[in-house]
Every structure is written in structure tokens, then in C-alpha cells.
Amino acid sequence: MSSAAKVVDPAFQGVGQKPGIEIWRIENFQPVAVPKSDHGKFYMGDCYIVLQTTQSKGGSYLYDIHFWIGKDTSQDEAGTAAIKTVELDAALGGRAVQHRELQGHESDKFLSYFKPCIIPLEGGVASGFKTPEVEEFETRLYVCKGKRVVRMKQVPFARASLNHDDVFILDSEKKIFQFNGANSSIQERAKALEVVQFLKDKYHEGTCDVAIVDDGKLDTESDSGEFWVLFGGFAPIGKKVITDDDIVAERTPAKLYSIHEGGVTAVEGELSKGMLENNKCYLLDCGAEVFIWVGRSTQVEERKTVGKVAEDFIANENRPRSTRITRVIQGYETHAFKSNFGSWPAGSVAPGAEEGRGKVAALLKQQGVGLKGLGKSAPVNEEVPPLLEGGGKLEVWCINGSAKTPVPKEDIGKFYGGDCYIVLYTYHSGERKEDYYLCCWFGKNSIEADQQMATRLANTMSNSLKGRPVLGRIFQGKEPPQFIAIFQPMVVLKGGLSSGYKKYIEEKEVTDDTYTSDSVALFRVSGTSAHNSKTEQVDAVATSLNSTECFLLQSGSSLFTWHGNQSAFEQQQLAAKVAEFVKPGATLKHAKEGTENSIFWSALGGKQNYTSKKVEEVFNFSQDDLLTEDVLVLDTRAEVFVWVGQSVDPKEKQSAFDIGQQYLEMAAALEGLSLNVPMYRVTEGNEPSFFTTYFSWDSTKATALGNSFQKKMALLFGIKHEDKSNGNQGGGATQRASALAALSSAFNSSSGKSSPRSQDRTNGSNQGPTQRASALAALNSAFSSSPTKSPSRGSSGSGQGQRAAAVAALSQVLTAEKKGPNGTPTQSPSAETKTPAGEGKSENAAFEVDQGSEEAAAEGKEIDDTGSASGSNAGGDSEPKTESEQDYADIGQVVFSYDQLKARSENPVTGIDFKRREAYLSPEEFESIFGMDKEAFYKQPKWKQDMQKKKVDLF
């Protein structure tokens, strides 16, 4: 230790003595500690070293060191950061796991330290940049990716930056917009909401407005109109453009290299722990990630050079910049490293190296039940069964009526599920002259007559060969390895060609889905070896996809290969072979999971959720990581919990213990976990205290309803947003609804079939003007309900100015009425007044105004330049009644019965805001129908309001 201390920088003396994060920035090629107040702030022109210290249950400390390289930093500074990382490790006793983090390509573990996200800043210190001065607010557009940790990237503020696959956040001075691409996932949308809240609290003092804009929904009720105005108006957006940042290296079978004098030499043979010598360093190439393994007996100076070797290796192999480099020390190997060796014999694990304690492994997404290294795509140490000798003669006949038709040589290996086949394989075994393997293959949709004919003809063939063949009967989906191995490849197609099958579907009036070379067809490529690799045509829909396998998609002249993120390298090779077999000479297009284009999804009828079997550790986990669409495993070392979300597929819910058992087997092989530890299945909303003790538990989150996005909406904006800004929920919504009702009452009283005299008899001669004054006061109250500090919701100008303009517009209408002939108010226009095009407007104002114009148009009224409706029947046939005019919350409230307000009413009411039908119910009837008063109802998130209104036919 003393020799190591001589090469340790003084800045690292005494570090790692307690759990937590410590950060240094490289300044003038020296590490300088970053104060805690600046943790999470990274400048693009600098390099940083981040130390994460965690404590195991045994009391010892575990270390992860990350050196972060900004995109504008110099090569010298990056080299300094790498060297200083090794020195820091030496100060910690040489047992830290080291990670290289490139800006924009950070690991999940690194990002988990700075939730919900990091937003790198322009400039730097060490590179000679000046720290940016505080300037006027600049509108920024970010693309937001990730389901548990978020990768934020600023993109040009232009419509061309948007696409249908991602979630975007537009941070303007007055409002933050979240744009959800049509193909983005629910979990990514939910995670982006946390970023929105972060931006709001950090850069807007928690007072700005927030809007959610859904791709493809230009709805006047929402903020989408205002959002598109900022981009110069609505227009279709293009498909996603793949950039260098989107290119991720594919995972490949691990290859081991020894490192010597700055170079690498391949180590031949099957990977085993015994290959790693403690006085050497090795490079393990896994494609998407490169590991450096450092023996315990190596010197510090030698360890400093291995990072450069890894970088040179990546460059020479033309790998993407996103390729990760992770350095592990002997005895402190990570699970990700050990899993490449199939098994990892226990006995050399260093004290305190039990990284599995308190770990969550998430099974993503959506109904995935496989575990990497134990699933079908990557069998560990699989035993190969005895197979038939190769090089034999293969003949295949298809049953057609009472005869067997030879299958052309170029089509041998293709089987239709509606047909039956006879397969004869002649081969040489040992000293015998010839052996025969004779089988009947029955498609799952084949008719009984064909099966019987195949059996009869096969018996005849066996007899002609003097009974020497091994005679077998094989059913589709149950093929033995000996059968599969003689076909390279074997492809099972939909439909059938035999006359018996064609007659059967004609009689049953069943659609003929027989495969043709010009049809849309999807093939699943399964297996990794000659004896288990089989391809089968499946339904050509996105839900057929599976992340653990490869697929072929045929659409007209196009042929795609699709590689699931968890598929094996052998499957990917087989997919290319099958493509040539199915459609010889066709141009093959490659689509890796996550990089598909619109043509691919269009052929499948659109993008949908599909099975993704993946095991991924969730770092620095919290309750927020328990996503309702997922199954997760919590490993405390003393017990294992399988947590099942409410939105998980019912079949997967039943397999919780199978998932847990698979995890145990993997943990036992790689980490020495006992197979006999207690295992529990825990369902969302029913978590016991001995499970929640591992989290900072919030019962409100546990009982929230909906999918991940809806839950986050309800929790972040249904509660916090109301408390801070009154937004458009709760009291604000009630005031606006009351204001609308007041306006309707005011204008309805002087229109329709009522005459001035009838008004005088019913309401008093001054009732109309009084109502209009009350309506003006209600509108003013509604639009002034937001706190003074809250920025406006508009895209330009101040929100207060816009509200004043709306009030002024209504005031002009009322003034004009008062100046009518004989002192009698003139006939009133519709209650709503539209804001001139191009001006920003409140979300609710826009809703109320535009809705009024739509209804006016629907009733055959003219709409003038300002959006006001005119006509002789603006009001309803019934005479509305008002509440107390002194109470602005209920002022001018028109009351109609539930039977009149229902969407399918036999006696429907007219002249109201049909999207706020519930606002016209009496307080008593409202509470009777919804089980709560209006104030409680409007405090709910809008999606929940709409759901409840649909149930009672008020939507």
C-alpha cells in the first residue's frame, strides 16, 4: 500500500470513507474536488471523475469509478482523467470497477446517480472555455430517452427534429411542453414527466405551466395548437433520422485477448475462469461492451496503459463511439463480466465483493419471462444430443390425395402446416453399408385423410427397403433434434398446397392464408445450433416479435431481417441463411430492434407492444422503478421477491415463481446464491412491510391507478401542479366551468324564443344586464385565478395581457348591447369569443372558445372573423336559472337535469358547452352521480375526469 500511495494524487487522500458520491473535475490536468452544490452539473468542455461508494451488508465498501468525458474536451484531458482514475483506484486499495462515460452515451449506472437526468452545459474550465454568463431565457428542445434513467439531448429547435418514435420536451419561457411521439413507450413518457417537473422546479421556480401534446392529435381542447404555433404552425413531421448517436454496437459472442506491451493476442478455447492469470491483464470483447480484466498481481503503471489498449481496439474494429469500456479487478468482477463465462466457480470472491445484495433485476418489457444466459436464445453449456451422420441423401415427398409428390431439391426444408410429408434420409453409419431414417411429418392443420395416406405410403416404402429404416411419426412443433439437424434450414409455412387441405378450407369457408412469394409474411428464427434451429411463419403483426429472437419480414419485393436486442449471434447468422433460402437473390435490409423505419412497421399493420425478455440491473433503485407494466426481482441475499405489476399480462402473473427460480439458478451459478433462499411473489398494491422496507415507500404512489404515464400524470400534476399554480385543475377548472355557465345564462336570457316582455315578467327588467355584468366578473375571476408569479401559458406576450384582452373583447359585446335601440339590449351573440389567430391563449380559454365556435357551426350559424357565432337560436328552449350572483364559483350557474344532459338523451339540452355537461348538474345531483362534489371532481387529473364522465354518459 505504501508503494501505491507514492503515485496517488493528494486530492484522493482519505476518499471513499463513507457511502455516497464524490466528484472531481480535471483542471489544468489535475483533479479538483467539486462541491456538493454543483453535483450533477457537467460542462461539455471538461472531464470529471465520479466515485460512488456503497456499503455491503458485511460492512465493507464497494467502489465504482466513472470518468466522464465531455464532447468538447481535449484528448490530453481525457487521457489525464483515465490515468487519474487508476490512481484513485490505487488509493482505494485497487478494487474499484472503472467505467468510461462518454457524453451522450453514459451508462445506466452513472445516470442513476443524478436522477432524473443530467443536462450538460456549454463551456468548461480546463479547456480554456469561459463559463457562460447568465443570458436571457432561450427556448430549448430536448429529446428524452430511457425508461428508468433518462438520456437528455438538446436538438435544434425546429419541426424537423421531431419524430413519431421519441418523447420531446420543449422548454419555453412561459410553458414546458411534453410531446409524445405516437410510437413512444408508456414508460418513456412517464419518465419524461419527471424531467418536466425537474425543469419546472429548477429553472422556472416551480410556477410555469405544463402541457402534454400527443402526436397526431390536434385538439382545440389541448395545448397542441399553441405548441405548433411555436414551430410556425402545424405540419406533418418526418420519420426518425438515424444519427451516429443512435448507432449502438451489437452484442457478439465474447472473445478473450491477452494484453502485452500495448497489443492484444487472441486466447483460443472455450471461455473459462481458469484462463485468467493473476499477473496479466485481459481484454474481453463482447461487441457492445469491452471489458478489461486486471490481475491482482499487476502493477499500477501497467494498469494505467490498459485503458488506451481498449480504446485502440475499438477504433481498429470500427466500433461505434458508444461502445462501453469497463475495467474490473480480479476478485471484484461484475455480474455482466462473469455471465460471459457460462459458470463462475466460487472460492475466489474477495471479501465485500457480493454485488448481488440489495439488487433489483428488472425483466423488461412487456411480458418477458426469460433471463439472459438461461433463455432459449443463449443456452449455457447445452448438451448436444446424438445426431445422424452428415453427408447423406435427403428425399422429401408431399402427400397429395392418394399419391406422394416429390419436393423439388431447392424447396427441401420447406413444410406447410396444412400438409403431410414423407422424409427419407439415407446415410452411412459405421461398417454398415446404408442406414435409413424414414419419417412422416404431420402439419398441425393437416387433414386426417392425408395423415393416414402418409402413414400407409411410408409403411410401403419401409417394406420395400426390407424393413431396415427407422420409421417415425413426427408432429409439427414436436420435431426431435435428429430430424431438425438434417434440414439446414427448416422452415414451416402457413397454409397448405395439397388438394385435401384446399378442399377442407373451402368446405369450412376458412380464409386461405397459404404462403406465397409475394405476400406479407413474418418468420420467427429460433435456436442457436443445427439440432434446434427452426424457422416458422407467424402472424404478420408487431405483437409476434420477441426481443430474444430474430425475424424475417417479407413485404412485396422487400425483405427485412430483424434482430432482437437479446438475440444470439448464431440466430442472426441463421436469419441471413433463411432469407436466401426463402427468397433467393432478394436484397436484404437489416432492422435492429429500435431502429425500424416506417415501412417495416407499416407492413406489420403498425407498431405495437411485443415480448421483450431482458434482464437488466436497476441501479440506485427506488419505488419509482416499480413500473406497473413490468415484473421485477428484488434480491436481498436473504430472500428473493418477485414483484408483479398490475398491468402485466395475466399469463405472466402466473409464472412469477418460474421467473424467480430462473433468477435463482443464474445467481447461484454466477454469484454463489443459495437455491434454498425464501422466495415471495408480491403484487402491486399489496406490498408487505418486509418488502417496502427496502424502499422509501410512499403509499400514494402504490395506490395510484392507470398505466405508468397516467400514474405519473396524476402524482406530479394532479397534486403538485395544483398546489403550486392552480393550473387547469381543481378550483381553476371549477371557476372556468362556472364562468362558461354564467356567460351561457347571460346570453341565453336575451335570445331564442323569449321576448323582452317575457324576460321582464320572469327575471325583472334589469336581470339581463345584471347577468352580463356577473358573467364578466366571473370570466375575470376565472382568468385571474393563477398566482401572480406564474408565467403565462401563451407562446408570446404576457398571460395577464391575454386575459385582459379576452375580458375587453367581452366588454365590448356587452357595451354594444347596452346601446341597442330604445335602450333595449340587442340580440346577443354566442357566449364564446375567439382569440385572433396567432395570439397565445389560455388552454381552457381556447377550449371554451373553440368549442363554442364548433357548436355554432354545427347548428348552422355563421362564424365571423373573430370566431363569434351569431344566429337566432343561440339559447335553448328552457329558461335557465342562476345561483347567487355574489358567489363567483357558482355565479350564473345554469342547472339542467341529468336526463337532459346525457349524451344519448331523448330530450337533449341545447346552447351549452357539450364537453362540460357535468358543470350544469345541480350540486345535489352531481354528488349523487359522481359520488363527490364538484371541487373534488375537478381536482382529479383530466384523464380520470373523462373516464368517470364516460361511465355516466356525460362525455
Side-chain angles (χ1 to χ4, degrees):
M1 183 67 185
S2 58
S3 60
K6 295 178 182 179
V7 295
V8 173
D9 194 288
F12 298 143
Q13 295 293 343
V15 300
Q17 299 302 308
K18 60 181 180 180
I21 293 178
E22 297 172 80
I23 303 177
W24 296 264
R25 178 169 53 196
I26 302 300
E27 299 183 13
N28 296 321
F29 305 105
Q30 294 297 323
V32 176
V34 175
K36 282 194 174 182
S37 58
D38 286 339
H39 282 193
K41 186 183 293 185
F42 295 87
Y43 286 92
M44 300 180 189
D46 288 331
C47 290
Y48 294 79
I49 296 174
V50 177
L51 169 64
Q52 166 76 359
T53 303
T54 55
Q55 189 171 22
S56 70
K57 287 188 175 180
S60 60
Y61 287 132
L62 305 176
Y63 303 106
D64 283 276
I65 306 174
H66 307 256
F67 60 100
W68 186 88
I69 302 173
K71 69 180 184 66
D72 296 326
T73 193
S74 69
Q75 194 67 34
D76 290 341
E77 285 179 306
T80 300
I83 292 173
K84 292 298 180 182
T85 296
V86 177
E87 292 183 14
L88 173 58
D89 178 42
L92 297 169
R95 50 188 172 141
V97 177
Q98 299 175 22
H99 314 260
R100 185 186 69 158
E101 307 285 355
L102 298 182
Q103 180 184 334
H105 303 285
E106 296 88 353
S107 65
D108 287 0
K109 191 164 196 172
F110 179 81
L111 292 174
S112 72
Y113 306 149
F114 310 102
K115 291 183 178 180
C117 65
I118 61 171
I119 304 177
L121 305 172
E122 295 283 350
V125 175
S127 302
F129 289 87
K130 292 184 179 179
T131 302
E133 296 179 358
V134 178
E135 299 176 353
E136 294 184 3
F137 191 93
E138 176 187 352
T139 298
R140 289 184 169 92
L141 181 65
Y142 302 96
V143 63
C144 198
K145 300 180 182 181
K147 299 171 186 176
R148 285 189 167 78
V149 293
V150 178
R151 288 174 175 80
M152 290 278 287
K153 178 185 176 184
Q154 185 176 349
V155 294
F157 176 27
R159 186 189 293 110
S161 296
L162 303 174
N163 64 62
H164 303 294
D165 299 314
D166 294 319
V167 178
F168 294 83
I169 294 176
L170 179 62
D171 186 12
S172 68
E173 186 173 9
K174 305 299 182 183
K175 184 186 290 188
I176 302 174
F177 297 86
Q178 177 173 320
F179 176 82
N180 296 327
N183 297 331
S184 61
S185 73
I186 291 173
Q187 291 96 334
E188 284 189 317
R189 298 179 187 186
K191 204 65 185 177
L193 284 174
E194 295 182 19
V195 178
V196 168
Q197 187 68 31
F198 169 76
L199 293 173
K200 176 181 176 180
D201 293 339
K202 187 172 181 66
Y203 299 110
H204 298 269
E205 299 181 353
T207 59
C208 75
D209 290 313
V210 171
I212 307 299
V213 179
D214 290 321
D215 182 12
K217 296 181 180 179
L218 185 59
D219 189 348
T220 54
E221 183 185 4
S222 70
D223 294 82
S224 59
E226 186 177 341
F227 173 81
W228 289 112
V229 165
L230 296 175
F231 288 91
F234 175 78
I237 58 178
K239 64 180 182 180
K240 183 175 181 178
V241 177
I242 303 300
T243 65
D244 290 342
D245 288 341
D246 296 309
I247 299 175
V248 179
E250 295 188 16
R251 185 174 182 84
T252 59
K255 296 181 181 179
L256 187 66
Y257 299 84
S258 64
I259 299 175
H260 181 65
E261 296 182 354
V264 296
T265 304
V267 178
E268 301 298 333
E270 184 178 353
L271 289 181
S272 68
K273 183 180 177 182
M275 291 179 170
L276 306 174
E277 301 178 26
N278 64 2
N279 62 342
K280 293 183 179 180
C281 296
Y282 294 85
L283 183 149
L284 184 68
D285 177 24
C286 300
E289 185 170 15
V290 171
F291 292 93
I292 297 293
W293 183 89
V294 178
R296 295 289 295 174
S297 299
T298 55
Q299 300 300 311
V300 171
E301 291 304 316
E302 183 180 357
R303 298 177 187 183
K304 288 182 179 180
T305 64
V306 294
K308 182 66 166 55
V309 172
E311 292 180 4
D312 291 343
F313 179 85
I314 290 173
N316 294 336
E317 295 288 321
N318 293 318
R319 299 282 173 80
R321 292 184 69 249
S322 59
T323 304
R324 294 224 169 84
I325 298 176
T326 303
R327 198 216 71 167
V328 297
I329 192 76
Q330 181 182 3
Y332 295 87
E333 296 87 352
T334 64
H335 161 69
F337 177 85
K338 291 187 289 187
S339 64
N340 292 288
F341 289 78
S343 65
W344 191 266
S348 63
V349 178
E354 328 89 317
E355 61 163 330
R357 295 185 177 179
K359 175 171 65 180
V360 170
L363 310 183
L364 306 172
K365 163 187 186 274
Q366 296 251 344
Q367 300 92 21
V369 297
L371 284 153
K372 187 175 175 183
L374 294 173
K376 288 184 285 186
S377 65
V380 178
N381 296 332
E382 183 179 17
E383 198 173 302
V384 178
L387 304 176
L388 303 178
E389 281 75 4
K393 179 183 178 182
L394 180 61
E395 299 171 272
V396 181
W397 295 265
C398 179
I399 302 302
N400 192 13
S402 59
K404 64 181 192 296
T405 304
V407 175
K409 185 176 181 180
E410 63 272 16
D411 288 335
I412 289 180
K414 295 178 183 177
F415 296 83
Y416 285 85
D419 293 339
C420 293
Y421 295 82
I422 296 175
V423 175
L424 175 62
Y425 182 62
T426 306
Y427 62 99
H428 294 274
S429 175
E431 297 179 356
R432 285 182 292 186
K433 184 176 180 182
E434 288 179 330
D435 280 321
Y436 302 98
Y437 181 74
L438 180 62
C439 292
C440 296
W441 184 91
F442 301 150
K444 65 180 180 181
N445 295 320
S446 61
I447 62 174
E448 186 177 355
D450 283 353
Q451 294 178 11
Q452 292 174 350
M453 182 56 64
T455 302
R456 187 178 304 122
L457 294 175
N459 278 323
T460 300
M461 293 176 64
S462 178
N463 291 335
S464 68
L465 294 171
K466 302 179 181 180
R468 291 181 58 195
V470 173
L471 185 59
R473 185 185 65 176
I474 296 171
F475 291 90
Q476 179 183 341
K478 302 296 182 181
E479 297 87 357
Q482 294 80 9
F483 183 85
I484 294 174
I486 61 178
F487 297 99
Q488 290 298 313
M490 177 182 176
V491 179
V492 180
L493 305 169
K494 282 180 173 287
L497 302 178
S498 68
S499 58
Y501 175 77
K502 296 295 186 186
K503 183 179 179 181
Y504 171 79
I505 62 172
E506 182 179 353
E507 292 175 350
K508 296 294 184 180
E509 297 183 348
V510 177
T511 302
D512 188 357
D513 60 354
T514 300
Y515 167 81
T516 61
S517 59
D518 57 354
S519 62
V520 175
L522 183 66
F523 302 91
R524 180 179 62 231
V525 181
S526 303
T528 57
S529 304
H531 64 276
N532 63 17
S533 57
K534 188 176 70 171
T535 299
E536 184 173 5
Q537 185 181 355
V538 294
D539 293 338
V541 292
T543 51
S544 296
L545 299 174
N546 186 316
S547 292
T548 64
E549 294 171 316
C550 293
F551 289 78
L552 287 177
L553 174 61
Q554 171 188 293
S555 177
S557 59
S558 299
L559 189 62
F560 296 88
T561 59
W562 186 87
H563 295 170
N565 285 335
Q566 300 300 305
S567 63
F569 181 67
E570 293 82 0
Q571 286 177 306
Q572 298 169 14
Q573 291 179 312
L574 179 61
K577 186 175 182 179
V578 173
E580 180 62 25
F581 177 57
V582 172
K583 209 160 187 177
T587 301
L588 197 57
K589 302 176 182 178
H590 299 280
K592 188 178 184 297
E593 182 176 2
T595 65
E596 307 87 349
N597 59 26
S598 58
I599 297 176
F600 179 90
W601 291 121
S602 177
L604 294 177
K607 187 175 182 179
Q608 300 180 60
N609 290 332
Y610 55 84
T611 301
S612 175
K613 299 178 182 179
K614 180 181 180 183
V615 173
E616 181 177 288
E617 183 174 351
V618 179
F619 303 102
N620 297 303
F621 62 87
S622 67
Q623 187 180 352
D624 288 335
D625 290 309
L626 299 174
L627 301 179
T628 185
E629 297 84 9
D630 287 341
V631 174
L632 297 101
V633 175
L634 174 64
D635 173 12
T636 71
R637 213 63 176 180
E639 67 268 302
V640 168
F641 297 90
V642 182
W643 183 90
V644 183
Q646 292 290 356
S647 299
V648 167
D649 182 85
K651 291 182 180 179
E652 187 183 352
K653 290 181 179 179
Q654 300 303 316
S655 63
F657 281 106
D658 292 336
I659 295 171
Q661 186 61 35
Q662 289 182 30
Y663 173 79
L664 278 178
E665 291 172 2
M666 178 180 67
L670 300 178
E671 300 173 10
L673 181 66
S674 170
L675 287 171
N676 298 320
V677 298
M679 185 191 303
Y680 301 94
R681 187 193 74 170
V682 178
T683 56
E684 182 181 9
N686 302 294
E687 296 85 354
S689 59
F690 55 94
F691 174 85
T692 60
T693 187
Y694 295 99
F695 304 83
S696 297
W697 197 256
D698 182 347
S699 58
T700 305
K701 294 180 180 179
T703 56
L705 302 176
N707 61 36
S708 296
F709 179 65
Q710 293 165 340
K711 285 172 176 282
K712 195 69 67 175
M713 282 282 289
L715 292 169
L716 291 184
F717 303 123
I719 300 173
K720 296 181 180 179
H721 187 54
E722 289 168 16
D723 293 343
K724 291 184 178 180
S725 64
N726 271 342
N728 62 351
Q729 312 253 4
T734 305
Q735 282 188 306
R736 288 162 174 74
S738 299
L740 175 64
L743 291 171
S744 179
S745 173
F747 289 113
N748 287 345
S749 64
S750 61
S751 60
K753 298 180 181 179
S754 300
S755 66
R757 288 188 180 184
S758 66
Q759 291 175 24
D760 291 346
R761 285 197 303 268
T762 306
N763 300 322
S765 59
N766 293 325
Q767 187 69 11
T770 302
Q771 281 187 311
R772 291 165 178 74
S774 298
L776 178 61
L779 183 67
N780 187 40
S781 173
F783 280 77
S784 303
S785 60
S786 298
T788 305
K789 291 183 179 180
S790 179
S792 81
R793 300 176 66 89
S795 58
S796 61
S798 70
Q800 294 175 347
Q802 290 169 8
R803 298 184 185 103
V807 174
L810 179 61
S811 181
Q812 289 178 354
V813 175
L814 300 179
T815 303
E817 288 187 346
K818 292 178 182 178
K819 293 181 180 179
N822 302 321
T824 304
T826 59
Q827 189 158 329
S828 170
S830 173
E832 290 83 15
T833 304
K834 191 171 182 178
T835 305
E839 288 189 18
K841 49 187 180 287
S842 164
E843 175 182 318
N844 284 281
F847 156 70
E848 294 167 2
V849 169
D850 293 345
Q851 175 63 20
S853 298
E854 290 169 4
E855 291 171 7
E859 294 176 12
K861 303 171 187 148
E862 296 180 0
I863 300 177
D864 61 23
D865 293 338
T866 64
S868 299
S870 60
S872 60
N873 192 25
D877 293 335
S878 60
E879 186 73 10
K881 300 177 182 179
T882 64
E883 301 289 335
S884 171
E885 295 176 359
Q886 301 302 317
D887 184 357
Y888 285 157
D890 293 316
I891 212 164
Q893 177 68 58
V894 185
V895 176
F896 294 103
S897 70
Y898 172 60
D899 289 336
Q900 284 183 288
L901 290 169
K902 289 191 298 184
R904 291 186 286 271
S905 173
E906 295 180 358
N907 181 29
V909 66
T910 59
I912 65 168
D913 178 1
F914 290 100
K915 291 191 177 180
R916 297 258 178 145
R917 296 174 185 268
E918 79 286 355
Y920 300 93
L921 290 168
S922 68
E924 296 78 10
E925 197 165 17
F926 187 101
E927 190 161 355
S928 173
I929 292 170
F930 290 102
M932 65 185 78
D933 58 23
K934 292 185 179 181
E935 183 177 1
F937 178 84
Y938 287 118
K939 283 184 178 179
Q940 300 180 112
K942 190 174 185 306
W943 66 267
K944 197 168 184 179
Q945 296 177 28
D946 291 344
M947 182 175 66
Q948 292 173 337
K949 289 195 291 184
K950 287 178 182 178
K951 289 182 179 179
V952 295
D953 198 26
L954 289 174
F955 186 76

